[in-house]
Amino acid sequence: MLVSAIALADSGIAMEPVVVKAGEDGRLRTGQGAIWHDTSGTAKLEAAQRALADGAFHPLKSAGSTGLQKGSYWSYFALRNSAPKAVTLHLEYVDHQLIQLQAYARPAVSMAGFAEIADLSMGAPFSARPVFHNRFVVPVSLGAGETLEFLVRFDSEEVGFVFPSMRIWAPEELSKSHTGETAILAFLFGGIALISLFSLIVGVTTGESSFFAYFVYGISKIVAWGTIMGFTHQYVLRSEFHWSYMSATGAVSILCGVMFDRLFLQTRKYTPRLDYILILMMLNASVLLLSALFQIKEVALLSITFALLLYPASTFIALVRWRQGSSEAAVFALGWTLLLAGLFYQALRDLGYVEHNLVNYYLPPLSSFIEMVTIMAAMGIKLRRVRLQGLESERQYRRHLERSKVELEGLVRARTEELEKAKQQAEQEARTDPLTGIRNRRSFLAEAALGIKRAQRKGEPVSLLMFDIDHFKAINDSHGHGVGDEALRLFSQTIQKKIRETDVFGRLGGEEFALLIIETKPDSLHTAERLRDNITQVSLDCPGGRVQFTSSIGVAHSEPGDTLEKLLRQADQALYRAKERGRNMVVEYRVEDQPEGIAGSSVAGLEPAESIDAEPKPEPA
């Protein structure tokens, strides 16, 4: 220790060993009288020993924090055991925002170099830590009357806040303290969880979106503070943890909080200009989240700082809403101000203006809990106001009904029949294609789906026929849309006359129609062929001459479990094959890659034939 004492004395630092004993309760801390800032962040033990010998260690010029700085910090101190027997101690780093801690020690009477006694990293598995604690803890042993010198390296990687000091504990006292801290945080997190669950229940009951947002906000707070304070690493992500998780969960919590603020204060409706500030806060939270995901630490720290600077805007907006007449906004402003107080005090501590201790260490999560409770009260006021407004509206409505009862009864009787007729007409129009008078697409799909289900329950065969008027565009182009519309009506009437009332017939759109029939495969194919033949006999007189048209038909047969969508798809594929093969024919859907038509098929006992499709007829002039 002689060389170290001389070097420190030359630098003007009076260093005395910290006298320790058994039963230390954390009140003693390693000193901050000899601190060396390694701006490169890459110095090893040898460089630190040279810096110590050269008198480069100096007292920390703050209340405990280095402030936002790049590089790493080294602390030199000595512990002396005043007890007549050996003592085991735990040196606990005072904060959670540290990426790596390396500790080295040597006996004071030895001229040998320092030996490593601990190498702790946030990214290492939690099981590698020598002491089960959410913060870094270094166990040390001192013999009776022994003095040990220590060099401890505190590294926040690239840039960050460092508190180069460690609390001194007896192992059993640290365990008691850790149990108490965990119990306090469990109480706070449990309270926030209960408030969040209550918000969810109220949101489900009332349908008010702000309660759902408050539920998500509360859960994000639990995740964020649990991660930031190291408990997520301790109990959940024990093997793989990274500092970016703290920034990411913090960003999500900020984003959820601002989204809740916008919904609760209704800034978009009542303070549209101030709403842009909250949108800016959401964008900044998104930047923080992205910088955490891509592990850009400097951007993450700047985003967090910017977020803290913008936080008071929510209080200001709440006061504006209070002036506009929203009583719950005043309570909201109080809760948000309490949160700001805790975060502001944390900022003072991180910047080195306030000494670090367990009280202000837990002040931010405590203020978050108080904020949740206070804002929950504000939401209760809002819910009560909405309820009272609803009751008042209901009373006014009832009084109006009582005054108008006699008049309304007469009007109701007079209008009942008219409304019923209008309803029936509207329902009919909703189900009917206005041009052809048959079912429209929506009505056909609904009725056909029900028909398929009924048939499947009874074990009856179902077939779907899809029609397409051949070269319908040519009719429109040659004779005009009026003739085309008349052709669609005539086509629909022809089919409608040839089918049963139980069959479901409708227009899918344009010149495409569909027909659902309860028939066997052979019968359905014969029905399709019969309808195709009937269509070829239809003609339409127009100024440009007589128009005759044909139709291509695709047929699909239902199997057990088939849906309407599947039958439509299969019939459409068969219809496509009919058009591809020359139109004016019936083609049955086949499972094969290239569906075959009826020609060359054996269906329901029919022997294979050359073709039972009608020969394609010449196109109309």
Side-chain angles (χ1 to χ4, degrees):
M1 186 178 179
L2 180 61
V3 175
S4 303
I6 293 174
L8 293 173
D10 290 343
S11 62
I13 301 175
M15 284 293 299
E16 290 293 334
V18 179
V19 179
V20 296
K21 60 184 182 304
E24 290 293 345
D25 58 1
R27 297 180 185 179
L28 282 180
R29 291 167 58 166
T30 63
Q32 296 175 327
I35 305 296
W36 175 53
H37 182 195
D38 169 28
T39 55
S40 68
T42 59
K44 302 300 182 183
L45 175 63
E46 294 75 11
Q49 291 185 99
R50 286 195 301 271
L52 183 65
D54 295 340
F57 281 66
H58 300 284
L60 186 66
K61 297 178 181 179
S62 72
S65 171
T66 62
L68 189 60
Q69 299 288 341
K70 290 185 176 182
S72 58
Y73 283 83
W74 291 76
S75 172
Y76 168 80
F77 59 90
L79 301 181
R80 178 185 297 164
N81 179 15
S82 61
K85 58 181 180 180
V87 62
T88 298
L89 299 173
H90 285 170
L91 306 182
E92 173 214 15
Y93 180 63
V94 298
D95 200 73
H96 55 267
Q97 300 182 50
L98 193 68
I99 307 301
Q100 188 175 27
L101 186 147
Q102 294 170 299
Y104 306 86
R106 71 179 180 187
V109 296
S110 173
M111 298 303 294
F114 287 85
E116 182 178 274
I117 59 172
D119 186 0
L120 305 175
S121 173
M122 181 183 292
F126 194 86
S127 57
R129 296 192 181 186
V131 179
F132 185 77
H133 202 284
N134 58 304
R135 295 184 290 274
F136 291 149
V137 178
V138 178
V140 297
S141 297
L142 289 87
E146 182 182 19
T147 299
L148 288 180
E149 294 180 88
F150 295 87
L151 276 174
V152 181
R153 178 176 178 264
F154 306 90
D155 186 16
S156 59
E157 284 191 5
E158 298 177 4
V159 62
F161 300 99
V162 172
F163 301 87
S165 181
M166 306 179 76
R167 281 187 285 264
I168 303 172
W169 297 87
E172 61 276 8
E173 293 297 325
L174 177 61
S175 178
K176 291 179 183 178
S177 175
H178 182 243
T179 302
E181 290 182 48
T182 305
I184 291 173
L185 275 180
F187 171 78
L188 296 180
F189 290 170
I192 295 176
L194 286 176
I195 292 172
S196 302
L197 181 60
F198 178 74
S199 299
L200 177 61
I201 295 173
V202 175
V204 172
T205 304
T206 63
E208 177 65 35
S209 58
S210 59
F211 283 93
F212 291 107
Y214 200 59
F215 163 74
V216 176
Y217 179 39
I219 298 302
S220 70
K221 272 182 174 288
I222 296 174
V223 175
W225 283 118
T227 304
I228 290 171
M229 306 196 78
F231 289 96
T232 299
H233 190 195
Q234 185 177 7
Y235 295 105
V236 183
L237 300 177
R238 296 174 57 84
S239 298
E240 298 178 358
F241 193 81
H242 195 271
W243 66 261
S244 60
Y245 298 165
M246 297 188 293
S247 298
T249 54
V252 172
S253 180
I254 293 173
L255 187 60
C256 293
V258 178
M259 292 174 67
F260 164 73
D261 293 352
R262 294 187 69 206
L263 288 173
F264 181 79
L265 297 174
Q266 296 179 288
T267 55
R268 185 177 180 182
K269 180 178 180 181
Y270 294 105
T271 57
R273 293 185 179 180
L274 295 177
D275 185 57
Y276 288 115
I277 299 177
L278 298 182
I279 295 175
L280 177 61
M281 294 175 67
M282 293 172 61
L283 291 175
N284 180 67
S286 301
V287 172
L288 173 58
L289 179 60
L290 291 175
S291 62
L293 295 177
F294 290 100
Q295 301 180 10
I296 309 174
K297 192 171 186 180
E298 291 187 2
V299 177
L301 289 171
L302 290 175
S303 297
I304 292 175
T305 304
F306 189 52
L308 293 176
L309 292 176
L310 289 175
Y311 255 41
S314 294
T315 300
F316 175 76
I317 295 172
L319 293 175
V320 172
R321 290 286 295 117
W322 175 52
R323 291 292 301 274
Q324 291 177 344
S326 175
S327 57
E328 63 269 17
V331 182
F332 176 94
L334 175 62
W336 201 260
T337 301
L338 293 173
L339 174 63
L340 284 176
L343 297 177
F344 180 72
Y345 202 82
Q346 178 190 18
L348 293 178
R349 183 198 69 194
D350 290 344
L351 293 173
Y353 296 109
V354 176
E355 183 180 1
H356 188 294
N357 54 50
L358 280 177
V359 175
N360 59 42
Y361 177 75
Y362 284 107
L363 186 58
L366 177 61
S367 62
S368 288
F369 173 77
I370 296 174
E371 174 231 0
M372 291 289 293
V373 174
T374 307
I375 294 181
M376 194 65 207
M379 296 183 71
I381 295 173
K382 179 180 180 179
L383 186 62
R384 180 176 179 274
R385 176 175 59 80
V386 172
R387 179 174 174 273
L388 291 176
Q389 289 176 349
L391 290 175
E392 179 60 27
S393 299
E394 184 178 354
R395 284 194 293 268
Q396 292 179 1
Y397 179 67
R398 286 180 178 177
R399 287 195 295 266
H400 176 72
L401 286 180
E402 290 172 359
R403 289 193 302 265
S404 306
K405 182 178 180 181
V406 176
E407 298 178 6
L408 287 176
E409 286 178 350
L411 291 173
V412 167
R413 284 194 299 269
R415 292 282 292 173
T416 298
E417 185 176 350
E418 181 181 347
L419 290 174
E420 185 64 29
K421 291 180 179 178
K423 176 185 176 183
Q424 293 175 359
Q425 182 179 356
E427 291 177 349
Q428 181 66 23
E429 291 176 353
R431 295 192 301 265
T432 305
D433 176 52
L435 178 62
T436 61
I438 63 174
R439 289 183 179 87
N440 58 18
R441 180 183 183 88
R442 183 174 64 177
S443 176
F444 172 80
L445 294 178
E447 290 294 327
L450 290 174
I452 291 175
K453 290 181 180 179
R454 285 194 296 265
Q456 290 178 345
R457 283 198 300 268
K458 297 178 181 180
E460 296 175 339
V462 179
S463 295
L464 180 71
L465 282 61
M466 186 174 290
F467 301 81
D468 187 277
I469 299 177
D470 295 331
H471 303 294
F472 182 74
K473 185 177 182 301
I475 298 175
N476 272 336
D477 293 342
S478 300
H479 303 280
H481 290 281
V483 174
D485 291 346
E486 185 61 31
L488 291 173
R489 283 191 288 268
L490 190 58
F491 174 87
S492 302
Q493 293 168 5
T494 301
I495 301 295
Q496 192 75 21
K497 292 176 181 177
K498 302 298 181 180
I499 61 177
R500 301 164 298 186
E501 291 184 359
T502 56
D503 298 335
V504 183
F505 181 51
R507 181 184 179 191
L508 299 181
E511 67 272 21
E512 287 192 350
F513 298 78
L515 173 65
L516 185 77
I517 55 177
I518 310 299
E519 291 183 358
T520 62
K521 291 183 180 181
D523 290 343
S524 64
L525 292 173
H526 284 298
T527 297
E529 181 62 29
R530 175 173 56 83
L531 293 175
R532 185 204 61 77
D533 185 62
N534 289 330
I535 294 167
T536 60
Q537 300 174 23
V538 175
S539 63
L540 177 64
D541 293 325
C542 62
R546 180 178 296 274
V547 175
Q548 287 186 309
F549 47 88
T550 61
S551 175
S552 300
I553 305 176
V555 183
H557 309 294
S558 174
E559 299 293 337
D562 281 354
T563 62
L564 174 61
E565 290 77 8
K566 183 176 180 181
L567 286 178
L568 285 170
R569 186 169 58 253
Q570 292 177 349
D572 185 63
Q573 293 175 5
L575 177 61
Y576 176 80
R577 288 301 185 193
K579 294 180 182 180
E580 192 178 54
R581 294 176 55 187
R583 295 182 172 83
N584 190 22
M585 65 176 61
V586 176
V587 172
E588 179 187 21
Y589 173 79
R590 295 293 188 180
V591 180
E592 291 81 358
D593 291 339
Q594 294 183 353
E596 294 293 332
I598 298 175
S601 64
S602 178
V603 181
L606 294 178
E607 293 299 322
E610 183 65 23
S611 174
I612 65 171
D613 294 334
E615 290 297 324
K617 296 188 177 182
E619 298 298 329

